Amino acid sequence: MKVIEGVLVVGDVQVVRNLFYADALGKNGLPVVRAGVYPGGAKSGRTMAERFCAFASEGIPAGRIDEALATSSGSYNEVAYCAEQTDIVPDVYEKLSWLNPHVLWSMYMRRDYLGLEYLRAELIDKLDVITFQKCRTNLTIAVSDMKANVKLFNAKDPDIDIFDLMFASSALFPFVQPVMLKGQRYVDGGYTRQSSVAIWARQLLRKIPRKQEIDMLYIGNRPHPRHQHPWEDMIFNSIVDMFLGMQYPELAEGAKSISRKVEKAAEVFGYEHARGRTCALFPLPDENIYPHEMRTHVLRERGELTRRRTERFLKALRPAREI
């Protein structure tokens, strides 16, 4: 674990450096498969959004990643990145507030307590779906069924509305009702008891020939587990027990396992792997945005700090041109 230009890095930084190339070749001459993991985090998702803004401004388009897994706010961020519209995302996080009269109206008219119906309508109006569909990235979005089992959907499946899929992956039940996808009800992908990352990664490894190397990048919204506030889990778990514990014990168990899953990801992405390299990026404590953050100035100041640091980080890693 090291800090480079204000970015906490776990694992092999060569994973990021390779993204400056349109294609990367492995030791055996085969193309390296580049994969991304983009978790949720409600308002803390702005951290990832700002990183994507920095990646885009430094010449790294979303299509440099071949395979990606996204959950909850990570799905909104990644879809916008693939649509080449990272510039619209930070403003969306600021608008998702009870201080926004449009969100209040949506709450009153549709019981949209978290503003997700409002967000869906905004994205339908603004998102360039055609550019998203053309992006080279094969995007998978994780959701949870009502028994907290992982379900992985192809975000470009023509039989699924991408807006419904993003909504389902961020549906913080019981504040947001489950979303119907192919006849089944689904909620926030963070509620799964099993790790969606582990299940997706196993599927990916089976799909890719053993001779082919993999670079895998994890972009965290929340600080590294070593920097987490000691009371945060306790408060979050008590809220989960209050609203889900009695009627939906499986979903409660999955929600309370989020912190453990982040810890496991931080641990796994720090290992050396036989099939390739892994790298994880985490914000520092002074960039921390809490999932429920409503203060616009905090979202803006800490988000912009993350973007500046990421831009410096990428400039430091950019390969030197040789003549």
Side-chain angles (χ1 to χ4, degrees), residues 150-190:
V150 176
K151 179 66 176 179
L152 302 177
F153 284 103
N154 179 353
K156 297 180 182 177
D157 184 338
D159 295 328
I160 294 179
D161 186 306
I162 183 59
F163 301 102
D164 287 345
L165 182 54
M166 289 189 291
F167 197 143
S169 189
S170 58
L172 288 166
F173 184 72
F175 307 103
V176 179
Q177 291 304 299
V179 178
M180 295 294 291
L181 297 172
K182 294 192 172 181
Q184 297 292 326
R185 297 192 307 160
Y186 295 102
V187 294
D188 194 297

Side-chain angles (χ1 to χ4, degrees), residues 35-303:
V37 177
Y38 311 125
K43 287 297 189 76
S44 70
R46 176 152 181 172
T47 299
M48 183 192 302
E50 296 287 3
R51 293 221 194 275
F52 284 159
C53 287
F55 275 51
S57 69
E58 292 301 316
I60 300 176
R64 296 282 167 88
I65 295 289
D66 303 297
E67 303 279 345
L69 173 70
T71 307
S72 194
S73 61
S75 66
Y76 290 99
N77 291 335
E78 173 61 5
V79 168
Y81 188 25
C82 289
E84 301 179 9
Q85 290 178 294
T86 54
D87 56 308
I88 71 173
V89 180
D91 185 53
V92 170
Y93 281 98
E94 293 180 24
K95 286 182 176 179
L96 279 177
S97 167
W98 292 335
L99 300 178
N100 181 348
H102 298 290
V103 172
L104 284 176
W105 180 250
S106 185
M107 185 191 307
Y108 175 73
M109 295 297 293
R110 295 179 283 194
R111 297 183 180 180
D112 181 24
Y113 300 115
L114 300 181
L116 293 181
E117 289 278 8
Y118 162 79
L119 173 61
R120 187 180 188 279
E122 282 278 291
L123 291 178
I124 288 174
D125 184 53
K126 294 181 178 179
L127 190 71
D128 185 347
V129 178
I130 294 174
T131 300
F132 162 70
Q133 291 284 352
K134 289 180 178 178
C135 181
R136 147 180 172 177
T137 305
N138 180 29
L139 175 61
T140 299
I141 293 180
V143 296
S144 170
D145 70 13
M146 299 307 290
K147 292 293 183 180
N149 298 308
V150 176
K151 179 66 176 179
L152 302 177
F153 284 103
N154 179 353
K156 297 180 182 177
D157 184 338
D159 295 328
I160 294 179
D161 186 306
I162 183 59
F163 301 102
D164 287 345
L165 182 54
M166 289 189 291
F167 197 143
S169 189
S170 58
L172 288 166
F173 184 72
F175 307 103
V176 179
Q177 291 304 299
V179 178
M180 295 294 291
L181 297 172
K182 294 192 172 181
Q184 297 292 326
R185 297 192 307 160
Y186 295 102
V187 294
D188 194 297
Y191 283 2
T192 59
R193 288 174 293 171
Q194 299 168 290
S195 168
S196 57
V197 178
I199 292 173
W200 170 78
R202 284 195 291 269
Q203 292 179 3
L204 185 61
L205 289 171
R206 286 196 295 268
K207 183 171 73 172
I208 297 170
R210 293 194 63 83
K211 291 182 179 179
Q212 205 161 4
E213 292 180 52
I214 302 172
D215 278 358
M216 192 171 292
L217 176 65
Y218 177 99
I219 298 185
N221 292 310
R222 309 293 291 122
H224 189 277
R226 291 186 189 177
H227 297 152
Q228 188 176 17
H229 194 288
W231 291 359
E232 195 169 344
D233 262 359
M234 182 181 68
I235 295 170
F236 176 75
N237 290 344
S238 65
I239 294 172
V240 168
D241 284 332
M242 183 186 306
F243 289 101
L244 290 175
M246 294 294 290
Q247 287 186 287
Y248 300 93
E250 297 92 352
L251 289 177
E253 179 187 344
K256 291 192 291 186
S257 71
I258 291 174
S259 184
R260 292 199 304 273
K261 287 181 282 195
V262 173
E263 287 179 15
K264 187 64 177 177
E267 180 183 343
V268 169
F269 276 77
Y271 294 159
E272 290 187 12
H273 297 268
R275 294 288 300 272
R277 293 172 289 265
T278 57
C279 179
L281 308 181
F282 292 94
L284 292 177
D286 62 346
E287 299 167 66
N288 184 23
I289 296 173
Y290 287 108
H292 60 277
E293 184 61 69
M294 290 289 177
R295 295 168 296 176
T296 300
H297 73 279
V298 172
L299 288 167
R300 186 174 299 138
E301 291 166 7
R302 297 186 182 182

